[in-house]
């Protein structure tokens, strides 16, 4: 299920209500067009991915010291290995916009996450990509809009850094399924320059 938010024309904050801003309390003109976006639970999607792909995930791998073949061989991942107890899961993020039709200003901006502990062939399979949110704007989001759009995703990612309990299927008939507490970290983002400027709130 998705959570839909509406950008209030008065305070420019995301409101849970279409008619009365849940942040500033100002009524929203129901006849006026209003920008909205949707967010989806990262945790729910990640639980499904872990349950269906656990046998393919490498949660105990140690980064190689002499070669760089994957994002998990990079410095950020190695720092996580030094300070965090395993197992943990890491994400890479992508945000970009597309125009569904030529000659229109309407754009769709999805927030996508991939699980780096999956093999690369599985990592980028559509069924294993997490859709964290969708901007369905009449035009490209402004920096202010992007900040509101990203906020629910940021909030959930911060919570996941504290850990979540994942249902791990048993690999043998003699042992039972169990819950394992796993921390989740976003370690990188891959965006083109216009999207990067929006996400980081910097000049293009």
């Amino acid at each position: 299920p998705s959570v839909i938010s509406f950008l209030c024309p008065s305070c420019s904050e995301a409101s849970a209500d279409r008619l009365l801003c849940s942040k500033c309390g100002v009524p929203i003109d129901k006849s006026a067009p209003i920008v909205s976006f949707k967010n989806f639970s990262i945790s729910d999607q990640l639980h499904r991915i872990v349950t269906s792909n656990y046998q393919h995930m490498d949660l105990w791998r140690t980064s190689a010291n002499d070669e760089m073949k994957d994002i998990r061989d990079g410095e950020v991942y190695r720092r996580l290995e030094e300070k965090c107890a395993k197992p943990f899961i890491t994400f890479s993020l992508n945000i970009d916009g597309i125009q569904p039709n030529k000659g229109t200003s309407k754009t769709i901006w999805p927030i996508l996450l991939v699980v780096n502990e999956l093999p690369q062939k599985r990592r980028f399979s559509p069924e294993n990509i997490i859709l964290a949110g969708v901007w369905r704007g009449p035009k490209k989001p402004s920096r202010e809009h992007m900040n509101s759009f990203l906020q629910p995703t940021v909030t959930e990612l911060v919570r996941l850094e504290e850990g979540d309990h994942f249902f791990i299927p048993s690999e043998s008939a003699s042992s039972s399924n169990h819950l394992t507490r796993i921390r989740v970290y976003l370690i990188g983002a891959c965006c083109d320059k216009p999207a990067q400027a929006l996400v980081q709130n910097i000049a293009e």
Side-chain angles (χ1 to χ4, degrees), residues 16-35:
D17 194 301
R18 169 66 177 84
L19 299 178
L20 183 67
C21 178
S22 57
K23 297 295 176 64
C24 68
V26 174
I28 300 173
D29 184 359
K30 63 181 180 181
S31 63
I34 187 170
V35 176

Side-chain angles (χ1 to χ4, degrees), residues 115-135:
V115 178
N116 297 318
E117 283 65 32
L118 286 171
Q120 290 189 32
K121 288 184 179 180
R122 286 183 168 268
R123 190 180 306 178
F124 300 104
S125 296
E127 65 272 17
N128 292 328
I129 294 176
I130 294 172
L131 178 63
V134 177
W135 170 274

Side-chain angles (χ1 to χ4, degrees), residues 179-199:
L179 288 173
T180 301
R181 185 170 179 265
I182 302 176
R183 294 176 181 265
V184 183
Y185 300 95
L186 174 66
I187 64 169
C190 181
C191 306
D192 62 14
K193 288 297 182 182
Q196 179 190 358
L198 283 177
V199 171

